[in-house]
Amino acid sequence: MSVALSLLDLAPIRRGQSAKDSFAASVELARAAERSGFRRVWYAEHHNMPTIASSATSVLIGHVADHTESIRLGAGGIMLPNHSPLVIAEQFGTLAALHPGRIDLGLGRAPGSDQNTMLALRRNPASADTFPDDVLELQGYLSGHTRVPGVQAVPRADEIVPLYLLGSSLFGAQLAARLGLPYAFASHFAPDALHRAVDTYRDTFRPSEQLAQPYVIAGVNVFAAGEHDRAVEQMRVAYRARTRAFIARGPLGGNFTDAEIDEFLASPQGSQLASMTRYTAVGTADEVTEYLTAFAKSCQADELITTHQAPETADRIHSIELVGGHW
């Protein structure tokens, strides 16, 4: 198929497991993606989340690169307003020098955290406003054409690390089009503006030195198993756990039965949370492939970045292998 297939690894820390267990699982998932023909694996920057281990994103990328051979690895994404563009250029210049031809850099402007964590990161609440300028500054460092007189990013790899803009709204689509960069939409958890954003991006795209034609990556959730009912059960378990995690952040706590969670998701109050995972492929390899093919066509995606969310690592690996084998 002409549409590429990639993997977003959320690096989950499961109940009873450690961050070290999560990193070992990330290596195994990347290896599975590599042997199954996936194009790339990305890791997202999140902070102050006890169930996500990818906060030091560049460190995790380097670790997985050391344990794989050919698959591209990158950030999906680095939340650039949390950082100095120079520091990110140094980190990814280092990664590209160590692993030539394999490193991507996706960029977002959200904090990847709550308000208190944002302050702990020393992030100015208005820092998102300078995101377009920060992207250009970073691009200058990576290309060797600095925009800051007398300042270079060292080390800088022989190749230019490719940039991708991430988003879930029209802002990211417009910026990616104006800068001539690939655009990745977070439709795996923020589906509402997907089609409008893609249309805006494609209609207003300006070619750049990095990219001659628009390039769209769309996120989608996947639960693939040998039997349809098994995949559905994995989805139910995973989405119940996700719902409990959201509820636990509020005043109600998280001690609810499966039946109560299902009832909440079916209610008007829970419908918004349930709709966040609207784009989910679930079933056998044939069923998931059929869904992904239709989804890619509907949103004009050049590439799908899939997040396999079965609760157990072995099931996520199996899901990757099943989908990759059919794709």
Side-chain angles (χ1 to χ4, degrees):
M1 297 182 182
S2 59
V3 176
L5 197 65
S6 294
L7 175 66
L8 175 64
D9 179 5
L10 301 177
I13 304 174
R14 302 294 178 184
R15 183 182 296 273
Q17 294 183 334
S18 66
K20 185 176 181 180
D21 295 326
S22 175
F23 299 144
S26 288
V27 168
E28 293 308 313
L29 262 65
R31 286 173 171 167
E34 185 171 67
R35 62 178 176 263
S36 301
F38 284 57
R39 177 167 294 181
R40 69 185 95 244
V41 183
W42 279 0
Y43 306 92
E45 176 188 345
H46 293 284
H47 299 282
N48 194 32
M49 295 187 181
T51 59
I52 296 179
S54 54
S55 55
T57 314
S58 59
V59 179
L60 179 56
I61 292 169
H63 174 69
V64 177
D66 284 338
H67 291 83
T68 51
E69 296 180 359
S70 59
I71 195 166
R72 297 192 68 89
L73 300 163
I78 290 293
M79 300 298 105
L80 190 55
N82 291 345
H83 310 277
S84 154
L86 176 61
V87 170
I88 297 303
E90 291 169 341
Q91 290 178 4
F92 281 80
T94 300
L95 286 169
L98 290 170
H99 307 284
R102 298 183 59 196
I103 302 301
D104 300 330
L105 177 48
L107 302 170
R109 65 178 182 133
S113 60
D114 55 53
Q115 291 294 317
N116 285 339
T117 306
M118 184 178 72
L119 295 175
L121 287 166
R122 305 295 192 266
R123 173 171 170 163
N124 187 317
S127 56
D129 297 339
T130 64
F131 179 67
D133 292 332
D134 289 344
V135 172
L136 291 174
E137 182 181 341
L138 174 60
Q139 192 173 46
Y141 292 135
L142 292 172
S143 65
H145 302 293
T146 180
R147 290 171 172 260
V148 182
V151 179
Q152 301 287 341
V154 181
R156 186 175 71 84
D158 293 335
E159 68 194 70
I160 298 177
V161 177
L163 297 182
Y164 298 76
L165 286 193
L166 280 56
S168 58
S169 68
L170 298 186
F171 175 87
Q174 293 165 343
L175 182 60
R178 178 160 59 88
L179 298 181
L181 294 175
Y183 180 53
F185 193 91
S187 38
H188 60 295
F189 74 89
D192 290 346
L194 171 62
H195 294 88
R196 285 189 299 136
V198 171
D199 287 343
T200 297
Y201 170 69
R202 289 193 175 278
D203 290 344
T204 60
F205 179 83
R206 301 178 187 175
S208 68
E209 188 173 341
Q210 177 177 330
L211 192 64
Q213 300 290 336
Y215 192 87
V216 172
I217 302 174
V220 58
N221 304 288
V222 173
F223 297 86
E227 298 177 354
H228 176 86
D229 289 348
R230 180 168 175 78
V232 171
E233 182 58 24
Q234 290 172 1
M235 179 185 70
R236 286 174 177 163
V237 172
Y239 285 171
R240 284 168 182 156
R242 179 177 178 273
T243 303
R244 285 190 178 92
F246 271 96
I247 294 175
R249 297 176 191 175
L252 298 178
N255 296 319
F256 294 94
T257 66
D258 288 349
E260 288 171 331
I261 292 295
D262 292 344
E263 184 178 356
F264 171 74
L265 289 172
S267 70
Q269 293 84 356
S271 61
Q272 182 177 0
L273 182 59
S275 71
M276 291 173 66
T277 52
R278 179 188 315 157
Y279 296 125
T280 297
V282 57
T284 64
D286 286 336
E287 291 170 326
V288 167
T289 299
E290 182 179 358
Y291 180 97
L292 294 180
T293 301
F295 173 70
K297 183 178 180 180
S298 75
C299 63
Q300 307 174 69
D302 301 289
E303 181 175 339
L304 297 180
I305 190 155
T306 59
T307 171
H308 297 250
Q309 298 202 49
E312 300 299 328
T313 300
D315 291 329
R316 295 203 302 279
I317 291 173
H318 191 214
S319 181
I320 290 167
E321 292 173 336
L322 285 173
V323 177
H326 273 61
W327 202 256

